[in-house]
Amino acid sequence: MRRLTLDRTKSILRSMAEVRVVVVGDLMLDRYITGSVERISPEAPVPVVQVEEEACAVGGAANVAANVVALGARCQVVGCVGTDFHGDVLRRELEALGVGLAGVVNTPDRPTTVKTRVLARRQQVVRFDHEDDGELSAEWLGRLVDAVQMAVGECEVLAIEDYNKGVMAPTVIRAALEAAAQAGVPSVVDPKRFHFFEFAGATVFKPNVKELEEALTQPVRHDDPEWMEGVRQRVGCEFLVLTLGERGMAVRGKEQQMSIPTVARSVYDVSGAGDTVTAVIATALAAGAEPLEAAILANHAAAVEVGKAGVAVVTPEEILSTVRSVLAD
């Protein structure tokens, strides 16, 4: 599959409204404090931000879920939140989006992960992270395993979004991938360095260049089919989807390799683009797309997302518009 037609795109996007997706991973709350800077503090050489607006949004694996529902699919998340104010806010935000929370485990001894960004003149001044990224206790991991097994049995695709915040321990990873294999549904993994090689058996393994270089401790050779096949076999996936930023993607299957050039017309903010790619690939696979088709659609979706300010979601209409404009060129 080297060309995605407009009719095929429409068919896949329509089918997305009929699928159920389970997203497993690190749930986060993103806080944004926006204001203006007119002076430097007399107390220290730092800008004084006059706060004008505060807002919250879902982040991490929760942002993958937000992208899934924006595509029209149903979604349930599996992860943990603290029994604190920010955990309540995160739950409300997800509920407002229509995301199922049956798989969310409350951890009273562990805070909700919160990233607070202070912005002035559309530039980030500083970021504060409140988190505990140690591995969860055996009790909470056991509850997550139970939640994963129940959720995956009721879905058409599994998406794993690992942010190294403790949820994706090896026991949870194994339980999730084994449940997907037993249910006969595809799995899409966005890995991070701590457990990079723990995801053997995934349908799609989607690192970016930096993550892959750090894991392999060598430069990436994405244009070398033999090298890419060696990596695919080492991580144990069916399809390796390597995201290359402004260069697009490189996709490697057992007997095929494809380069997908970027279609972004402008890049405003790359925040959240990886979450969008994970969501689109997973939802497209559940809707009947081939892995290469799913990657092409995700590439179009990423082009839309990076043209927006901050972490954003992408709709089927926006993807279709981008595909149409590229085919018309």
Side-chain angles (χ1 to χ4, degrees):
M1 171 63 62
R2 294 191 174 275
R3 182 178 174 83
L4 191 63
T5 66
L6 194 60
D7 285 344
R8 179 59 175 159
T9 299
K10 291 178 180 178
S11 175
I12 295 170
L13 293 175
R14 281 195 302 267
S15 296
M16 286 180 175
E18 303 171 5
V19 305
R20 298 168 296 176
V21 182
V22 169
V23 177
V24 182
D26 298 295
L27 305 175
M28 306 181 196
L29 182 68
D30 287 341
R31 294 184 64 239
Y32 297 91
I33 300 174
T34 305
S36 58
V37 173
E38 302 295 340
R39 62 193 178 96
I40 300 298
S41 171
E43 305 167 357
V46 295
V48 175
V49 178
Q50 183 68 37
V51 176
E52 298 170 350
E53 183 180 3
E54 296 186 41
C56 290
V58 297
N63 186 47
V64 176
N67 274 272
V68 168
V69 296
L71 294 168
R74 286 172 287 170
C75 185
Q76 180 175 334
V77 292
V78 176
C80 66
V81 298
T83 54
D84 49 28
F85 170 78
H86 292 121
D88 292 340
V89 173
L90 180 52
R91 280 180 170 275
R92 288 199 299 270
E93 293 286 334
L94 286 168
E95 286 176 344
L97 293 170
V99 176
L101 303 181
V104 176
V105 175
N106 291 324
T107 54
D109 59 345
R110 186 186 185 93
T112 302
T113 298
V114 183
K115 297 183 181 298
T116 302
R117 297 169 176 86
V118 180
L119 302 100
R121 296 179 181 176
R122 298 185 177 180
Q123 297 293 318
Q124 189 171 145
V125 177
V126 67
R127 191 179 91 180
F128 306 100
D129 290 359
H130 292 81
E131 64 186 27
D132 177 353
D133 59 3
E135 189 168 296
L136 289 160
S137 68
E139 177 186 356
W140 305 127
L141 290 176
R143 293 189 184 185
L144 284 172
V145 166
D146 292 341
V148 163
Q149 292 171 337
M150 182 173 295
V152 173
E154 301 173 348
C155 75
E156 280 80 45
V157 68
L158 163 69
I160 295 177
E161 187 69 33
D162 188 6
Y163 271 89
N164 285 338
K165 304 304 179 187
V167 167
M168 298 316 303
T171 53
V172 178
I173 294 170
R174 284 292 96 216
L177 292 176
E178 288 172 6
Q182 185 174 355
V185 300
S187 53
V188 180
V189 172
D190 189 354
K192 291 295 181 291
R193 66 183 185 279
F194 290 167
H195 300 299
F196 196 88
F197 294 105
E198 297 282 348
F199 296 97
T203 306
V204 174
F205 189 79
K206 186 200 74 67
N208 60 35
V209 170
K210 182 175 183 293
E211 291 162 347
L212 188 56
E213 287 184 340
E214 288 179 350
L216 299 177
T217 64
Q218 62 176 277
V220 163
R221 304 204 305 270
H222 63 89
D223 54 355
D224 182 339
E226 185 175 342
W227 186 89
M228 287 283 286
E229 174 61 12
V231 174
R232 187 193 70 82
Q233 291 184 23
R234 183 174 176 185
V235 299
C237 64
E238 292 183 34
F239 281 83
L240 173 65
V241 176
L242 179 60
T243 57
L244 306 169
E246 68 277 4
R247 291 172 292 172
M249 301 178 180
V251 182
R252 177 70 202 185
K254 185 176 181 180
E255 298 178 350
Q256 57 190 157
Q257 181 160 334
M258 180 178 182
S259 295
I260 305 174
T262 184
V263 294
R265 303 295 176 89
S266 62
V267 178
Y268 187 88
D269 191 336
V270 299
S271 301
D275 297 339
T276 297
V277 170
T278 301
V280 173
I281 290 177
T283 309
L285 288 178
E290 298 175 9
L292 286 177
E293 291 177 317
I296 293 170
L297 278 179
N299 189 51
H300 285 283
V304 175
E305 202 280 341
V306 300
K308 300 182 179 184
V311 175
V313 297
V314 177
T315 66
E317 294 75 19
E318 289 172 321
I319 296 174
L320 184 61
S321 177
T322 303
V323 172
R324 183 181 284 113
S325 66
V326 170
L327 290 177
D329 286 346

